[in-house]
Amino acid sequence: MTLNNPLNIHQIEAEAPPATSRAVEDALNDHYYRVDPAEYFERRLWGIIAMADLNPDSVKWDRDDEASLFGQFQAVLTNKKIALDVPPGTTLNSRTMASVESYALMQHVIETALRLFVAGQERVAGKSPMTTLINMRQSADLREPIKSLLSPAARHAVAGVMIPSGLQQDKSEQSKRDSRRHIDFLTAWLAFFARFYSETHFNGAQGNNQLKHGATLAPRDDLNTALHLADQQRKDLNPAERSAVAATINAESVTYVLQERGAKGTVPGLILRTDNSDPATNLGISQVGISIVRSLWQMSQVVAYPNTETSYDYDYSPMPSELFASTGKPPRSVVQTLLHPAPTVPTSAVAPNGKSPRKRKR
């Protein structure tokens, strides 16, 4: 084996006999429950707050400490000149960077909670949720099962996931009340997450998809730039237009491009969309989502390890209405059409140079 030779995959125990299904499940459970996903999200959340509130002038790198991450980072780059004590660029400040990062964290937490909920619908005692999770490859694998959260039977669907058959609970009246409040809390937030993610509702997942690729999403406070048609000259909004937009996007924002799908036989149009991205609101939703991710992860562990006593912490506050009443800046969007869907031009009608062929004269 050559050390530090990248892109090599080394097989371990190549001659070992095939593992039994029970051994596979044990290995998957051991892998999946090794780290609490909620803690991963919590560390990101607090890192964003630290980044937003950090005074750049207070960062003092110890260039002589070779054991520090900064020192190791320098060593890896060898002779490359770096200047981490100089702000990296001028298009973002700490607040707008926190706006983008908090939006990405919120999206990630929401999608994780929804995926764990969907995986919970197929739980089998003694089995890891890993097989279900890794088979969610297509958009429909998530969008279709979460429709139960948008129906009148949403509470029943949530209770079925959170209180699996055979679960033995504390029988006290206080525990029963806490359990009911917990299910109400989970139902309200998971239904909100489903609407936020759903293509036919808020469709917020598209913003996350754009953000992951980095090139088409940017925080902005110049809404006159975002809200104009692509084939028109840039113009400032008049006072009435600016007031109307400001009432919707009343915080930092992220802007990205969407396809507008038309009827069959049409080329999709393009939409420029600007979402409210108030960092405090995004992080508040993220924190609630983190507690729900932990709840779903803990309950899946109860099913994966049957006949094992496990502690479970109930969480039932705040409800969505309480959180949004506190912020006044819930998720909002302004959408501007750039191009409408257009009929598809038949291939036979287009010449190799991209121009329509001329009719021959006889």
Short mmCIF file of all heavy atoms in Angstrom, two decimals, residues 15 21 27 39 43 50 63 70 72 80 96 123 150 162 176 180 183 229 239 242 255 281 283 290 308 312 349 355 362:
data_model
loop_
_atom_site.label_atom_id
_atom_site.label_comp_id
_atom_site.label_asym_id
_atom_site.label_seq_id
_atom_site.Cartn_x
_atom_site.Cartn_y
_atom_site.Cartn_z
N GLU A 15 -10.76 -11.77 1.61
CA GLU A 15 -11.06 -13.19 1.63
C GLU A 15 -12.11 -13.58 2.67
O GLU A 15 -12.40 -14.74 2.88
CB GLU A 15 -9.76 -13.97 1.92
CG GLU A 15 -8.65 -13.72 0.91
CD GLU A 15 -9.09 -14.04 -0.50
OE1 GLU A 15 -9.81 -15.06 -0.68
OE2 GLU A 15 -8.72 -13.30 -1.43
N SER A 21 -27.13 -11.31 6.95
CA SER A 21 -27.96 -10.10 6.97
C SER A 21 -27.96 -9.46 8.36
O SER A 21 -28.01 -8.24 8.50
CB SER A 21 -29.38 -10.44 6.53
OG SER A 21 -29.95 -11.43 7.38
N ALA A 27 -23.71 -3.81 11.56
CA ALA A 27 -22.69 -2.88 11.10
C ALA A 27 -23.30 -1.53 10.70
O ALA A 27 -22.75 -0.47 11.00
CB ALA A 27 -21.92 -3.47 9.92
N GLU A 39 -26.11 17.05 16.73
CA GLU A 39 -24.92 17.75 17.22
C GLU A 39 -24.14 18.36 16.06
O GLU A 39 -23.61 19.48 16.17
CB GLU A 39 -24.02 16.80 18.00
CG GLU A 39 -22.77 17.50 18.55
CD GLU A 39 -21.82 16.56 19.29
OE1 GLU A 39 -22.29 15.51 19.77
OE2 GLU A 39 -20.63 16.89 19.35
N ARG A 43 -23.36 22.39 15.89
CA ARG A 43 -22.03 22.99 15.75
C ARG A 43 -22.00 23.97 14.58
O ARG A 43 -21.37 25.03 14.66
CB ARG A 43 -20.97 21.89 15.57
CG ARG A 43 -20.70 21.11 16.85
CD ARG A 43 -19.67 20.01 16.63
NE ARG A 43 -19.41 19.27 17.85
CZ ARG A 43 -18.48 19.59 18.75
NH1 ARG A 43 -17.72 20.64 18.56
NH2 ARG A 43 -18.32 18.86 19.84
N ALA A 50 -21.11 32.71 15.64
CA ALA A 50 -19.77 33.22 15.96
C ALA A 50 -19.20 34.01 14.78
O ALA A 50 -18.59 35.07 14.96
CB ALA A 50 -18.85 32.07 16.33
N ARG A 63 1.21 32.10 14.20
CA ARG A 63 1.92 31.50 13.08
C ARG A 63 3.02 30.54 13.53
O ARG A 63 3.58 29.81 12.71
CB ARG A 63 2.50 32.61 12.21
CG ARG A 63 1.42 33.47 11.56
CD ARG A 63 2.01 34.55 10.67
NE ARG A 63 0.95 35.33 10.03
CZ ARG A 63 0.35 35.00 8.89
NH1 ARG A 63 0.70 33.89 8.26
NH2 ARG A 63 -0.58 35.75 8.37
N PHE A 70 -4.51 26.27 11.93
CA PHE A 70 -3.91 27.26 11.06
C PHE A 70 -2.49 26.83 10.65
O PHE A 70 -2.11 26.94 9.49
CB PHE A 70 -3.86 28.62 11.78
CG PHE A 70 -3.21 29.71 10.96
CD1 PHE A 70 -3.90 30.34 9.94
CD2 PHE A 70 -1.90 30.10 11.21
CE1 PHE A 70 -3.30 31.34 9.18
CE2 PHE A 70 -1.29 31.09 10.46
CZ PHE A 70 -2.00 31.72 9.45
N GLN A 72 -1.26 23.75 10.58
CA GLN A 72 -1.33 22.59 9.69
C GLN A 72 -1.78 23.02 8.29
O GLN A 72 -1.30 22.47 7.29
CB GLN A 72 -2.29 21.56 10.27
CG GLN A 72 -1.79 20.96 11.59
CD GLN A 72 -2.86 20.12 12.27
OE1 GLN A 72 -3.58 19.39 11.61
NE2 GLN A 72 -2.95 20.23 13.58
N LYS A 80 2.86 28.35 -0.62
CA LYS A 80 1.82 29.25 -1.14
C LYS A 80 1.59 30.40 -0.16
O LYS A 80 1.49 30.19 1.05
CB LYS A 80 0.51 28.49 -1.34
CG LYS A 80 -0.59 29.33 -1.96
CD LYS A 80 -1.82 28.49 -2.24
CE LYS A 80 -2.94 29.35 -2.84
NZ LYS A 80 -2.56 29.92 -4.15
N THR A 96 -23.93 39.26 5.80
CA THR A 96 -24.48 38.64 4.59
C THR A 96 -23.98 37.22 4.43
O THR A 96 -24.70 36.36 3.91
CB THR A 96 -24.16 39.47 3.34
OG1 THR A 96 -22.75 39.71 3.29
CG2 THR A 96 -24.89 40.79 3.35
N ARG A 123 -39.99 1.78 8.91
CA ARG A 123 -39.11 1.15 9.89
C ARG A 123 -39.54 -0.28 10.20
O ARG A 123 -40.73 -0.59 10.27
CB ARG A 123 -39.09 1.98 11.18
CG ARG A 123 -38.27 3.25 11.03
CD ARG A 123 -37.90 3.82 12.37
NE ARG A 123 -39.03 4.33 13.11
CZ ARG A 123 -39.18 5.61 13.45
NH1 ARG A 123 -38.29 6.49 13.09
NH2 ARG A 123 -40.22 5.99 14.15
N LEU A 150 -49.19 17.02 4.46
CA LEU A 150 -50.00 18.13 3.97
C LEU A 150 -51.49 17.79 3.98
O LEU A 150 -52.30 18.57 3.50
CB LEU A 150 -49.56 18.49 2.55
CG LEU A 150 -48.09 18.88 2.39
CD1 LEU A 150 -47.72 19.04 0.93
CD2 LEU A 150 -47.78 20.14 3.16
N MET A 162 -43.67 8.35 15.26
CA MET A 162 -43.05 8.65 16.55
C MET A 162 -43.46 7.69 17.67
O MET A 162 -42.78 7.60 18.69
CB MET A 162 -43.37 10.08 16.97
CG MET A 162 -42.90 11.13 15.99
SD MET A 162 -41.17 10.97 15.48
CE MET A 162 -40.33 11.11 17.05
N LYS A 176 -48.45 11.35 29.42
CA LYS A 176 -49.40 11.32 28.31
C LYS A 176 -49.64 12.72 27.75
O LYS A 176 -49.72 12.92 26.54
CB LYS A 176 -50.71 10.68 28.75
CG LYS A 176 -50.62 9.19 29.04
CD LYS A 176 -51.95 8.64 29.50
CE LYS A 176 -51.86 7.15 29.82
NZ LYS A 176 -53.15 6.61 30.32
N ARG A 180 -48.72 14.06 23.96
CA ARG A 180 -49.67 14.70 23.05
C ARG A 180 -49.15 16.05 22.56
O ARG A 180 -49.25 16.39 21.38
CB ARG A 180 -51.04 14.86 23.73
CG ARG A 180 -51.82 13.55 23.88
CD ARG A 180 -53.26 13.82 24.26
NE ARG A 180 -53.37 14.40 25.59
CZ ARG A 180 -53.52 13.69 26.70
NH1 ARG A 180 -53.57 12.36 26.65
NH2 ARG A 180 -53.64 14.28 27.87
N ILE A 183 -46.39 15.49 20.02
CA ILE A 183 -46.91 15.10 18.70
C ILE A 183 -47.50 16.32 17.99
O ILE A 183 -47.32 16.50 16.79
CB ILE A 183 -47.95 13.98 18.82
CG1 ILE A 183 -47.31 12.70 19.37
CG2 ILE A 183 -48.60 13.70 17.47
CD1 ILE A 183 -46.21 12.13 18.51
N LEU A 229 -36.70 42.84 -15.46
CA LEU A 229 -36.71 41.83 -16.52
C LEU A 229 -35.36 41.80 -17.22
O LEU A 229 -34.71 42.83 -17.40
CB LEU A 229 -37.81 42.16 -17.54
CG LEU A 229 -39.24 41.99 -17.00
CD1 LEU A 229 -40.23 42.45 -18.06
CD2 LEU A 229 -39.51 40.56 -16.63
N PRO A 239 -40.86 54.66 -5.46
CA PRO A 239 -41.14 54.53 -4.02
C PRO A 239 -42.22 53.51 -3.70
O PRO A 239 -42.10 52.75 -2.74
CB PRO A 239 -41.55 55.95 -3.63
CG PRO A 239 -40.82 56.83 -4.59
CD PRO A 239 -40.83 56.07 -5.88
N ARG A 242 -40.74 49.99 -4.30
CA ARG A 242 -39.76 49.68 -3.27
C ARG A 242 -40.45 49.37 -1.94
O ARG A 242 -40.07 48.45 -1.22
CB ARG A 242 -38.79 50.84 -3.09
CG ARG A 242 -37.67 50.55 -2.10
CD ARG A 242 -36.69 51.70 -2.05
NE ARG A 242 -36.01 51.87 -3.32
CZ ARG A 242 -35.00 51.14 -3.72
NH1 ARG A 242 -34.54 50.15 -2.96
NH2 ARG A 242 -34.43 51.35 -4.88
N THR A 255 -30.97 35.45 -3.82
CA THR A 255 -31.61 35.48 -5.12
C THR A 255 -31.06 34.36 -5.99
O THR A 255 -29.87 34.13 -6.02
CB THR A 255 -31.37 36.85 -5.81
OG1 THR A 255 -31.93 37.87 -5.00
CG2 THR A 255 -32.02 36.89 -7.19
N THR A 281 -34.00 34.44 11.97
CA THR A 281 -35.16 33.59 11.70
C THR A 281 -34.72 32.23 11.17
O THR A 281 -35.21 31.18 11.59
CB THR A 281 -36.10 34.26 10.69
OG1 THR A 281 -36.52 35.52 11.21
CG2 THR A 281 -37.32 33.40 10.42
N LEU A 283 -31.92 30.70 11.64
CA LEU A 283 -31.29 29.91 12.70
C LEU A 283 -32.33 29.45 13.73
O LEU A 283 -32.19 28.37 14.31
CB LEU A 283 -30.19 30.73 13.38
CG LEU A 283 -28.98 31.04 12.49
CD1 LEU A 283 -27.98 31.93 13.22
CD2 LEU A 283 -28.30 29.77 12.01
N ILE A 290 -33.43 21.06 14.39
CA ILE A 290 -32.40 20.22 15.00
C ILE A 290 -33.01 19.34 16.09
O ILE A 290 -32.70 18.15 16.19
CB ILE A 290 -31.27 21.09 15.57
CG1 ILE A 290 -30.42 21.66 14.42
CG2 ILE A 290 -30.37 20.28 16.51
CD1 ILE A 290 -29.45 22.75 14.85
N THR A 308 -34.63 -2.60 24.24
CA THR A 308 -33.58 -1.84 24.93
C THR A 308 -34.21 -0.57 25.50
O THR A 308 -34.88 0.17 24.77
CB THR A 308 -32.45 -1.46 23.95
OG1 THR A 308 -31.90 -2.65 23.38
CG2 THR A 308 -31.35 -0.70 24.68
N TYR A 312 -35.90 9.43 26.30
CA TYR A 312 -36.37 10.24 25.17
C TYR A 312 -36.84 11.58 25.72
O TYR A 312 -37.68 11.64 26.62
CB TYR A 312 -37.50 9.51 24.45
CG TYR A 312 -38.03 10.24 23.23
CD1 TYR A 312 -37.34 10.18 22.03
CD2 TYR A 312 -39.20 10.98 23.28
CE1 TYR A 312 -37.81 10.84 20.90
CE2 TYR A 312 -39.69 11.64 22.17
CZ TYR A 312 -38.98 11.57 20.98
OH TYR A 312 -39.45 12.22 19.87
N ALA A 349 -37.16 21.82 -38.35
CA ALA A 349 -37.33 23.20 -38.79
C ALA A 349 -36.10 24.05 -38.51
O ALA A 349 -36.09 25.24 -38.78
CB ALA A 349 -38.55 23.82 -38.11
N LYS A 355 -30.47 28.45 -37.78
CA LYS A 355 -31.46 29.29 -38.41
C LYS A 355 -32.52 28.43 -39.10
O LYS A 355 -32.26 27.31 -39.51
CB LYS A 355 -30.79 30.20 -39.44
CG LYS A 355 -29.78 31.17 -38.82
CD LYS A 355 -29.16 32.04 -39.90
CE LYS A 355 -28.14 33.00 -39.29
NZ LYS A 355 -27.51 33.86 -40.34
N ARG A 362 -38.91 27.73 -56.91
CA ARG A 362 -39.05 26.83 -58.05
C ARG A 362 -39.01 27.58 -59.36
O ARG A 362 -39.44 28.71 -59.45
CB ARG A 362 -40.34 26.03 -57.94
CG ARG A 362 -40.36 25.12 -56.73
CD ARG A 362 -41.55 24.17 -56.78
NE ARG A 362 -41.55 23.28 -55.67
CZ ARG A 362 -42.44 22.31 -55.51
NH1 ARG A 362 -43.40 22.14 -56.40
NH2 ARG A 362 -42.37 21.51 -54.46
#
